[in-house]
Amino acid sequence: MTTHALDFDPTEKEANILAFLHTFAENAMRPASIIADAHEHERPQGAIEALHQLQSGGMGYRSGSAVDGTGDGSPAAKALTSILRAEELSWGAASILLSRPGPGLGGAAIQASGTPAQKEQWLKRYEDGSVRFGAMALTESNAGSDVSAIETTAVQDGDHWLLNGTKIFATNGACADVVVVWATVDKSKGKDGIRAFIVEKGTPGFSIGRLEHKMGIRASETAELVFQDCRIPRANLLGEENPSAEKKGFKGAMATFDLTRPGVAAMAVGIARAALEHTVQVLESESGGFHLGYGRSRAHLSALQDAVQAMDAQIEAARLLARRAAYLLDQKQPNALEASMAKAKAGRVVVDVCATCVELLGPAALTRAHPLEMWLRDSKVFDIFEGTGQVQRLVIARRILGYTSKELP
Ligand SMILES: Cc1cc2nc3c(=O)[nH]c(=O)nc-3n(C[C@H](O)[C@H](O)[C@H](O)COP(=O)(O)OP(=O)(O)OC[C@H]3O[C@@H](n4cnc5c(N)ncnc54)[C@H](O)[C@@H]3O)c2cc1C
């Protein structure tokens, strides 16, 4: 049971920033995402660079930057502030927000498990104003939810590590300057043998494979990454090298997601809110064609009113869970359970809301006359990446019931 007093209200200054971001999301992000959706693999550079400018001015969204701060002392380093912005920007275009320059999921991994020297070396570079990307590569064709199944190997060779394996579904993987790669150093140890390694673009043996063709978030790049005898310095092992740190590999992966899941949940809330607002606007403004014969628009149908209020309540519930998970991060409190709850709830809500909105507007909503069909396609991944809904619910249930997978017979 959570007993912390909760205060989610933005300061006046932050409210002004959110209003500014709303206008930016509406005018710069949403139109660009619709074009990018129709032209996959053509990155919306204008919107991405504009987002970068916002970030450089301290008005961007930084996931996973809460615990020790990013060192720049900017308000964006606060998890709660950050996810308020994530919702607003995703209301415009979550797919473009995922394409924003910055350390990304790889940066969150370094933040969660890197040594102070590694944070200095690998995260500071994102603060010099240049357009740079980071990525994280955990998922493989046979491993994702099940981290212990990772087959990419890391073998020590003197002062180097040799990486071999293929990763899939790495967000911003092709454009990243730095990728955090999860590999096994000892397969017999299962998930306790998993460690993370920092690989720079251009390292011999590291190449980009295919770019995925996706049903949704098509403005966001998703890449296959191939490592063939990829030799990296010994110091690029993320975290401490000593054997007692070994078990921290898996925990590091999980800690990464404690930082980022509140933001992912907020992004899902942003899409759901966009879909509901659009639907309400259409229902309120629709003309004769949709009238029911007794002079009233569909917006007056009680079944439809019920659907609208139910969606609104679901979105608010997901929003509050996301904000609580971020608030706990800012309080330096454990938030693993709350982050999973927020992610599980928001991932399901965004899919349900988008599908219901399409139903309410009828066949027209299946055409490109409305952005709803795009948002419906965009929504599904929020129930998949950074831990699927099923796996989140498993984690939550185990916490509530008081056991871990290791204790199962
Ligand atoms: C657009 C996109 C971007 C992504 N970005 C990244 C990224 O940047 N970096 C990265 O490393 N990965 C990324 N991923 C991968 C994503 O995180 C994984 O696909 C996801 O975690 C699921 O893992 P999996 O692919 O192994 O699926 P599986 O684990 O094979 O899941 C298949 C199905 O089985 C269910 N399932 C699995 N285990 C259980 C269980 N124990 N109990 C009940 N049900 C279970 C799952 O919920 C799912 O429904 C991305 C994926 C997509 C689609």
Side-chain angles (χ1 to χ4, degrees), residues 2-6 8 66-67 79-80 258 262 321-339:
T2 303
T3 53
H4 313 280
L6 302 174
F8 298 151
V67 176
L80 183 57
D258 297 346
L321 284 172
R323 291 183 183 181
R324 179 179 67 163
Y327 179 86
L328 290 174
L329 265 184
D330 282 337
Q331 304 303 310
K332 298 187 169 42
Q333 301 276 343
N335 79 333
L337 175 62
E338 291 78 5

Side-chain angles (χ1 to χ4, degrees), residues 247-292:
K247 287 192 175 177
K248 290 186 181 159
F250 173 72
K251 286 192 177 144
M254 297 305 110
T256 305
F257 296 128
D258 297 346
L259 295 182
T260 58
R261 280 179 186 147
V264 173
M267 292 170 87
V269 168
I271 301 175
R273 194 182 111 206
L276 181 57
E277 282 179 14
H278 177 84
T279 302
V280 168
Q281 266 171 19
V282 174
L283 289 170
E284 281 176 343
S285 67
E286 65 189 12
S287 58
F290 283 116
H291 278 217
L292 297 167

